[in-house]
Amino acid sequence: MDRSHPAPGSGARAAASRCDHVVASHAGRLVRASGWYRFVGELAEAVHFHHLARETVPGLPPPGVVHAHAFCLDCGAALDAGAVRVSTHEALLQAAEAAIGTGSEEPKGSKLNPARYVAWVAPQLRSGS
């Protein structure tokens, strides 16, 4: 994934706080600034796996939607929701392009297996997202 964009919650508006900001949510999971790059990497792996497997696994649920937060749910600091959207969009686009063969490379570490994918989508299925 391209890391040219700063991690959401690392900007000047949020810098005054020592909070590990909640920058987004995904199927009931809260995503903090410190875990942002790991989360986006896992989401890219899930998108890649979904695109590769959806034709052979009928009814395979999609990896879900990421909801950007304008304010931290813990401390209320203003966040850059646009950075969340841009980072997420870029990661998903790269993963989908790699899966359908138009991208230059697969997401790094793209070794998601069916069991990990089910673990990834399980919270989304429980929450009904």
Side-chain angles (χ1 to χ4, degrees), residues 53-80:
R54 67 184 174 170
E55 290 182 19
T56 57
V57 183
L60 185 69
V65 176
V66 177
H67 299 281
H69 295 281
F71 298 92
C72 176
L73 297 181
D74 285 344
C75 71
L79 303 172
D80 187 355

Side-chain angles (χ1 to χ4, degrees), residues 4-51:
S4 60
H5 298 284
S10 63
R13 291 187 288 177
S17 172
R18 297 212 181 267
C19 178
D20 185 11
H21 299 301
V22 176
V23 296
S25 57
H26 174 269
R29 297 176 179 123
L30 298 180
V31 184
R32 297 191 175 275
S34 64
W36 177 249
Y37 289 118
R38 178 176 177 225
F39 169 79
V40 172
E42 290 173 353
L43 180 60
E45 288 178 8
V47 168
H48 185 255
F49 180 86
H50 184 263
H51 278 278

